[in-house]
Amino acid sequence: MTATLTRVDVAPVASPKRRRHAPGWLAVVPLLAFVALAFGIPALAMLNGAFTVKDPATGATSYTTANLTASLKGAYFTALLGSVKLSAVSAVISTVFGLLVAQAVVTSRFRALREAVLTASGVLANFGGVPLAFAFVATLGNSGVLTRYFGLADKGWNLYSFSGLVIVYLYFLIPLMVLTITPALDGLRVQWREAARNNGATSVQYWRHIALPVLAPSLLGGFVLLFGSAFAAYATAAAMVGSSVPLVTLQIADAISGNVLVGQENVALALSLDMVLVAGLVMAVYLPLQRRSARWLDN
């Protein structure tokens, strides 16, 4: 029996068309649109208003630096310096205590303690405004529970002062620092400590010559974040101290609402521009050090 082979012509399969991949930058368009809408337009409006003066008689507007000049004089300049001082003091104290708490959490053997502290820090870092002010007034105010129990008023304690406001700010700044510095502490290699110990270094020498230089950019970054949070805070200070402590955010609110002088809205925008410039100067110091820290922790 002879097998007969029949040739079957198979039609060539059409090769699938190559899909054209959209450029990667298209994925960023929604983010860019949101940034332009939420930040770009208000920033341009603030910049325009800071350099605009309106004639009350004719209603004509002109561009000048009079608003910026006024924002750097008298009570406005005092308030700007007060906000910088308050933010710097609160941020420095919170950076130190936040580092100590975070180090205790990282080196703890109890996982439940770490999770509890980080969870509580996440809650406390977002607890501010009027509720925070009321909590401290009820606790450490002139008629607060602890004030009366320990007789703090007789010892010169005053919550409605610069030092009292610093203590209130520490309530949410220290937890924020714990959340910020904990990942950097986790990035410290165990081998670095062991190598330092094998070479006869003490714990103080390890922190002075190895850990702190590596953590310095991260600590500075945390300080910048804390400084910005305290610098921009308004509701807590407004509800607790009012105008007894000069702060730039309170001056902006007074200028916009016309509580002191009418027609100072553009001066308020100039004060806002001053705040942006201060934050920009602080960021300019932080960014170069942040890159250096990233190289150390990634290697």
Side-chain angles (χ1 to χ4, degrees):
M1 179 178 295
T2 304
T4 303
L5 298 178
T6 304
R7 180 179 179 181
V8 179
D9 294 332
V10 180
V13 179
S15 59
K17 295 182 179 180
R18 294 182 178 179
R19 296 181 178 177
R20 295 183 178 180
H21 296 283
W25 59 268
L26 289 179
V28 193
V29 170
L31 176 62
L32 295 178
F34 173 78
V35 171
L37 182 63
F39 296 98
I41 295 178
L44 291 177
M46 177 189 66
L47 189 63
N48 179 70
F51 290 95
T52 301
V53 173
K54 185 177 181 180
D55 190 346
T58 62
T61 58
S62 60
Y63 288 97
T64 178
T65 59
N67 294 325
L68 288 176
T69 303
S71 69
L72 297 176
K73 291 182 179 180
Y76 295 131
F77 187 65
T78 302
L80 181 61
L81 291 181
S83 289
V84 172
K85 180 181 177 181
L86 174 65
S87 303
V89 172
S90 302
V92 168
I93 298 175
S94 300
T95 300
V96 174
F97 282 93
L99 175 62
L100 296 177
V101 174
Q103 175 63 15
V105 169
V106 169
T107 57
S108 175
R109 298 180 180 179
F110 302 99
R111 183 177 180 85
L113 176 63
R114 176 190 176 104
E115 294 178 352
V117 172
L118 293 180
T119 302
S121 298
V123 175
L124 297 178
N126 294 281
F127 183 73
V130 178
L132 178 61
F134 174 77
F136 269 88
V137 168
T139 306
L140 291 172
N142 293 337
S143 300
V145 177
L146 295 182
T147 303
R148 291 182 297 176
Y149 184 80
F150 293 103
L152 298 179
D154 299 333
K155 300 176 182 179
W157 166 251
N158 182 17
L159 178 66
Y160 315 108
S161 61
F162 180 86
S163 58
L165 199 57
V166 169
I167 293 177
V168 175
Y169 278 26
L170 296 182
Y171 187 84
F172 62 88
L173 290 181
I174 291 178
L176 183 59
M177 186 60 191
V178 172
L179 296 176
T180 303
I181 201 62
T182 297
L185 289 173
D186 287 333
L188 292 177
R189 307 296 175 83
V190 179
Q191 295 84 348
W192 297 346
R193 180 185 288 272
E194 293 176 350
R197 186 178 302 168
N198 292 335
N199 284 279
T202 62
S203 297
V204 175
Q205 292 173 330
Y206 164 76
W207 278 98
R208 179 181 177 183
H209 298 288
I210 299 176
L212 286 180
V214 174
L215 291 175
S218 298
L219 289 173
L220 184 57
F223 171 81
V224 171
L225 178 61
L226 302 184
F227 182 92
S229 299
F231 195 56
Y234 165 72
T236 302
M240 198 176 75
V241 300
S243 59
S244 60
V245 177
L247 297 177
V248 66
T249 51
L250 303 181
Q251 286 289 345
I252 291 174
D254 290 339
I256 291 177
S257 60
N259 287 344
V260 181
L261 295 175
V262 180
Q264 297 295 306
E265 294 82 3
N266 288 349
V267 177
L269 295 176
L271 287 170
S272 302
L273 183 59
D274 293 338
M275 294 182 65
V276 172
L277 293 178
V278 171
L281 290 176
V282 176
M283 289 297 298
V285 177
Y286 159 67
L287 290 177
L289 293 177
Q290 193 273 338
R291 299 192 196 98
R292 180 182 176 185
S293 175
R295 289 198 300 267
W296 273 97
L297 295 177
D298 291 340
N299 292 333

